[in-house]
Amino acid sequence: MDLSAQLKHTLSSVFGYSEFRDKQEQIINHVMAGNDCLVIMPTGGGKSMCYQLPALLKEGITLVVSPLIALMNDQVRALQLMGIDAAALHSNVGRNEFDDIVRRMQDGKLKLLYASPERLALPKFQEFLNTFKISLIAIDEAHCVSIWGNDFRPEYVKLSVLKKIFPTTPTIALTATADETTQGDIIKQLELINAEKFLSSFERKNIAIEARSGLKRIEQIELFLRPNKEQSGIIYCLSKKSTEDVAQKLRSRGFDATHYHAGMDSSNRDETQRRFQNDEVKIICATIAFGMGIDKPNIRFVIHYNMPKNIEGYYQEIGRAGRDGDESKALLFYSWGDYINLKKFIDESNASKEFKTVQYSKLDRMWEYANAHNCRSNFILNYFG
C-alpha cells in the first residue's frame, strides 16, 4: 500500500473520516517526509489530525507539547476511545501511572506522549526521552513561544532545546492564531529548519459576527438569547466576580446559566465543564480559563461581555461556536471602560517594556476592530495576512 492509500485508510478506519479537510493531507505528507513546518489553522479546523495520524504510521513515539493539563487529558481520552495508545505526563500523574506509562513506552506500545513545556525543560526528563525513538515532535499552542503572540509563556522559549536533543526529528508547530510577525518569530524561537508555513483560511462563514456598545449589557443579552433559550453558549467575562454576577442575573431571568473561573476548586471546575459538555447546563459565564480543549460541536453562540485584550484571543474564543458547521453567532460588547481596564492591566504588569509595547499595539487593534464600520471579517483576514 503506498503512502497516499495508507493515509486514506488510517483516516477512515481509525478516525472515521472519509476525506481530509483543507490542507491536512498536504501537511501530513510534508511531516511524513521528515520536514519541519508551522501550521496556522483556526480552532476547529483539525490541527490535531496533522500530527495524530502521522504518529500512527511512524515508528516510535510522537511527543506532543501542550500547555494545559485539561487539554492533554481530553486529547488522550479521545485517542484512547479510538483504540490508540496515548498518555500524558504532568503533575497530577501518580507513581503507579507513571511506571505504567514508562512500561508502555519501553514495550513499544505507546504512540503519543503528551507533556507540558515545564516538564520538558527538566534535564532529567530530556535524558529520559533521549533513551527512546522520538519520531515526531508536535508543539501545540505554538504562539506561546513569541512575545508577539497573544499568550506569551517564558517556559515555551526553552523548547528550542528539543532541536538540539533530536536534530533529525521533524517538528510541527501548531496554533490557531498568529499574525505574520508572530509566525516568523515562532519559527525563529523554536529553531525550525527550513520550515514551510501552512496557513488555512481564517474566514468563519458559519459564524455571524456582531459588535455592540456595552450599554445595558444584561438587557441586550436577554433579548439576544430569548429566541434561542435552549441553545448552548459561552459568555466570556473579564473578571471572576463578573462571571458569577452575570450567571446569577441570567438565572433570575429564567436562563439555565452557571459560572466557571480559575478561582473555583478543580473538582467544581471539572464538574461544571462536564455538565456543559453533556448539555446538562446551557450557558457558561466564564473567564478565558474556560474553553481550551472544549470539543463541543453544538455551541451556537459566544458572547464577549467585555472587550478582549487582542484579536488573536478573541478569534480563538469565537471559534468555539459552530464547530459542527451549523449557523452560529458571536456577539462582542465593548466600551471605553473596557479599554481603560485592559490598558491598566498592561501598565501594572511586571512584563518588559518591549512586551508591554506589543500588548498596547494589540489592544489598539482590538479597539479599532470593535469600532469598525466596515466588514469585520475582512478586518480579521487582513490582520492574519
Side-chain angles (χ1 to χ4, degrees), residues 33-185:
N35 302 307
D36 291 353
C37 63
L38 171 62
V39 174
I40 317 291
M41 196 178 278
T43 304
K47 287 188 298 297
S48 57
M49 183 68 72
C50 299
Y51 59 84
Q52 288 176 352
L53 197 155
L56 302 188
L57 298 183
K58 280 179 168 286
E59 187 187 339
I61 297 166
T62 289
L63 175 67
V64 185
V65 184
S66 184
L68 285 178
I69 289 174
L71 195 59
M72 287 191 249
N73 288 344
D74 285 348
Q75 294 233 352
V76 168
R77 203 175 296 118
L79 288 164
Q80 288 174 344
L81 285 171
M82 288 185 279
I84 299 167
D85 199 337
L89 283 176
H90 48 68
S91 54
N92 291 356
V93 172
R95 187 73 222 179
N96 290 343
E97 191 180 349
F98 178 84
D99 290 342
D100 176 60
I101 292 168
V102 172
R103 267 193 303 274
R104 283 150 58 199
M105 291 172 74
Q106 289 168 339
D107 292 343
K109 293 177 181 175
L110 194 84
K111 295 307 294 177
L112 290 108
L113 178 68
Y114 286 73
S116 67
E118 293 86 354
R119 185 173 283 266
L120 285 160
L122 302 172
K124 275 193 172 180
F125 190 63
Q126 294 167 13
E127 288 170 24
F128 164 74
L129 283 178
N130 209 8
T131 62
F132 297 93
K133 180 174 175 54
I134 303 298
S135 57
L136 175 63
I137 297 168
I139 298 174
D140 205 5
E141 309 297 335
H143 60 271
C144 295
V145 78
S146 171
I147 66 160
W148 298 94
N150 60 305
D151 188 19
F152 174 64
R153 302 190 185 199
E155 58 272 18
Y156 258 74
V157 178
K158 297 171 186 172
L159 292 175
S160 61
V161 74
L162 293 173
K163 264 292 170 215
K164 295 176 178 66
I165 303 168
F166 306 105
T168 60
T169 301
T171 300
I172 175 171
L174 310 102
T175 178
T177 49
D179 60 17
E180 210 165 338
T181 307
T182 308
Q183 291 166 28
D185 202 31

Side-chain angles (χ1 to χ4, degrees), residues 267-311:
S267 61
N268 278 345
R269 283 202 311 271
D270 291 346
E271 176 61 11
T272 300
Q273 183 165 323
R274 185 199 63 76
R275 289 178 63 220
F276 180 65
Q277 195 85 39
N278 296 337
D279 282 327
E280 293 169 26
V281 63
K282 295 297 180 187
I283 301 167
I284 292 280
C285 302
T287 56
I288 57 169
F290 182 81
M292 287 181 86
I294 290 291
D295 192 10
K296 182 174 163 62
N298 65 335
I299 294 173
R300 294 274 68 89
F301 64 86
V302 171
I303 297 172
H304 282 85
Y305 190 77
N306 306 95
M307 188 179 80
K309 62 183 179 180
N310 54 54
I311 288 171

Side-chain angles (χ1 to χ4, degrees), residues 221-382:
I221 290 171
E222 182 176 7
L223 288 172
F224 178 86
L225 295 180
R226 189 61 68 190
N228 312 296
K229 203 172 177 184
E230 294 307 307
Q231 292 184 342
S232 249
I234 304 171
I235 301 175
Y236 282 112
C237 306
L238 202 55
S239 70
K240 297 172 190 173
K241 186 177 186 304
S242 61
T243 66
E244 298 180 14
D245 290 347
V246 172
Q248 191 277 321
K249 285 172 182 172
L250 287 177
R251 283 196 301 274
S252 72
R253 286 164 165 78
F255 293 97
D256 181 16
T258 190
H259 66 273
Y260 180 108
H261 56 68
M264 296 161 63
D265 67 60
S266 59
S267 61
N268 278 345
R269 283 202 311 271
D270 291 346
E271 176 61 11
T272 300
Q273 183 165 323
R274 185 199 63 76
R275 289 178 63 220
F276 180 65
Q277 195 85 39
N278 296 337
D279 282 327
E280 293 169 26
V281 63
K282 295 297 180 187
I283 301 167
I284 292 280
C285 302
T287 56
I288 57 169
F290 182 81
M292 287 181 86
I294 290 291
D295 192 10
K296 182 174 163 62
N298 65 335
I299 294 173
R300 294 274 68 89
F301 64 86
V302 171
I303 297 172
H304 282 85
Y305 190 77
N306 306 95
M307 188 179 80
K309 62 183 179 180
N310 54 54
I311 288 171
E312 289 92 336
Y314 164 75
Y315 205 61
Q316 196 167 15
E317 285 145 22
I318 67 168
R320 284 158 195 155
R323 294 182 75 155
D324 54 7
D326 287 355
E327 294 297 312
S328 303
K329 294 178 181 178
L331 174 60
L332 164 69
F333 289 108
Y334 65 94
S335 70
W336 184 243
D338 290 339
Y339 178 90
I340 295 300
N341 281 335
L342 290 164
K343 187 175 181 297
K344 191 178 172 188
F345 291 157
I346 301 169
D347 292 339
E348 294 174 355
S349 77
N350 295 321
S352 67
K353 187 178 178 183
E354 183 187 15
F355 184 72
K356 285 184 177 182
T357 302
V358 171
Q359 298 313 304
Y360 290 135
S361 169
K362 286 184 179 290
L363 177 58
D364 286 341
R365 293 305 302 278
M366 186 70 228
W367 178 249
E368 193 182 330
Y369 169 84
N371 285 276
H373 295 296
N374 300 322
C375 175
R376 288 189 173 84
S377 291
N378 283 344
F379 189 107
I380 282 173
L381 295 176
N382 289 331

